[in-house]
Amino acid sequence: MASKETPAGMKGDGSAGQLGRRLRSWRTGRGMTLAAVSQKTGVASSSLSKIENEQVSVSYHTLKRICDGLDIPIEEIINPDHKKFAPGRRSITRAADGSEFGCPQYIYRAHATDMSKKEMIPLEMTVLARKPEDFDDWNKHEGEEFVYVLSGVVDMYTEFYAPTRLVAGESLYFDSAMGHMFISVSEEDARILSICYDPRAHMQDDILDFFRAGRLNVQPLADESV
C-alpha cells in the first residue's frame, strides 16, 4: 500500500505538533538517537523524524507503538499533566475537553487522558478512510476492543471474517489482536466510540509493541442489509 501523509496541526492538548515536540523532548532528554528509538519501537527513523518535526500527523496506533516500545504511558505524551495511579480515582471529560490528534484514516479524541495506567483506553473517532487501500497495514493490539457507532455507517474489515456493516446504534466486541480497520460508507464521515482493553497498562517491565503492523489481506465486502 502507498503511504499517505497529512500535515500536522490537530487542535487540542494532544495536537500533532505538541505530540511531536513531547516525543522529541523525551528522546533528547534521555540522550537517545532516532536510530535507537527506531530499534526499540519498530518505527522507521525517517517517520520518527517527520513526527517530531511536525511534518506528518501520527495515528493512535503508531503513537501507542512508540510509547510501548519505550515503556512510556501514552498519557505522558498526550497529556503530561495526567494523574498517576491512586485508589478511588476518577476522570471526567467535558464536552469541550479531550485531547485531539489525527492521521489520514482517523481523527481521534482521547478521553480520560488525565489518568495513566488505566486498563481501558476510550477514544472517540471520526473515520476518514473510505476504502481498504487507504491503510498501509492492519491495526492490531493485544487485548479486546468494543466499538459503538455514534453516527453514520462503517464497514469493519478483519483478517478472519468477511466485512461487517454497522449503523448508528450498533456495536461490535472483538479480539483486537486480530487485524482490523474501519471505513466510512455513509455520505458523512462516521463517528465511533472505541474502548480498547490494554492488558499490560499497569506493567512497568519492557514490553513488546502493543500495536503490530501486519500484511493486509482484505476479503471482499459481503452483501448485508442495514
Side-chain angles (χ1 to χ4, degrees):
M1 299 290 178
S3 177
K4 295 176 175 59
E5 299 175 350
T6 56
M10 295 300 301
K11 66 178 182 178
D13 290 341
S15 67
Q18 291 174 334
L19 297 180
R21 288 191 293 273
R22 289 169 189 161
L23 285 169
R24 182 173 60 229
S25 176
W26 191 97
R27 176 180 63 80
T28 57
R30 287 155 180 79
M32 295 185 68
T33 64
L34 287 171
V37 174
S38 176
Q39 185 176 15
K40 281 182 169 291
T41 64
V43 178
S45 297
S46 58
S47 297
L48 291 168
S49 177
K50 289 178 181 178
I51 292 169
E52 289 188 356
N53 288 287
E54 308 173 35
Q55 296 175 354
V56 296
S57 54
V58 57
S59 72
Y60 171 74
H61 303 279
T62 299
L63 182 61
K64 193 68 168 66
R65 187 176 181 181
I66 294 171
C67 289
D68 280 353
L70 297 175
D71 200 17
I72 315 170
I74 192 170
E75 292 83 7
E76 190 74 27
I77 303 301
I78 294 179
N79 180 14
D81 296 326
H82 68 278
K83 300 175 183 177
K84 304 299 182 181
F85 178 82
R89 64 183 183 164
R90 72 171 194 173
S91 173
I92 299 174
T93 303
R94 302 294 184 185
D97 298 332
S99 300
E100 288 192 6
F101 57 100
C103 65
Q105 297 83 17
Y106 305 118
I107 296 174
Y108 306 91
R109 179 170 177 251
H111 289 246
T113 60
D114 57 343
M115 292 195 308
S116 66
K117 300 190 182 304
K118 53 186 180 291
E119 295 188 354
M120 292 187 295
I121 303 173
L123 296 169
E124 185 180 341
M125 298 168 56
T126 300
V127 181
L128 305 178
R130 291 285 170 171
K131 56 186 183 300
E133 290 76 19
D134 289 339
F135 293 82
D136 297 320
D137 297 297
W138 292 110
N139 294 326
K140 294 183 179 183
H141 51 94
E142 288 191 10
E144 299 171 336
E145 185 170 351
F146 171 80
V147 169
Y148 178 86
V149 181
L150 299 169
S151 65
V153 184
V154 297
D155 283 346
M156 179 183 178
Y157 288 78
T158 64
E159 284 183 293
F160 308 136
Y161 296 89
T164 300
R165 182 158 294 180
L166 300 171
V167 302
E170 296 182 336
S171 67
L172 193 148
Y173 191 107
F174 60 98
D175 173 9
S176 52
M178 171 178 60
H180 57 277
M181 65 176 72
F182 300 97
I183 295 170
S184 285
V185 294
S186 48
E187 183 175 350
E188 73 277 16
D189 292 331
R191 292 175 55 251
I192 63 177
L193 173 66
S194 169
I195 301 177
C196 301
Y197 167 63
D198 182 349
R200 295 176 297 178
H202 62 286
M203 295 183 179
Q204 292 293 336
D205 297 333
D206 289 338
I207 53 179
L208 300 175
D209 293 339
F210 187 71
F211 288 97
R212 302 186 304 279
R215 183 174 61 86
L216 282 176
N217 184 17
V218 178
Q219 301 181 48
L221 177 63
D223 290 334
E224 296 185 5
S225 59
V226 297

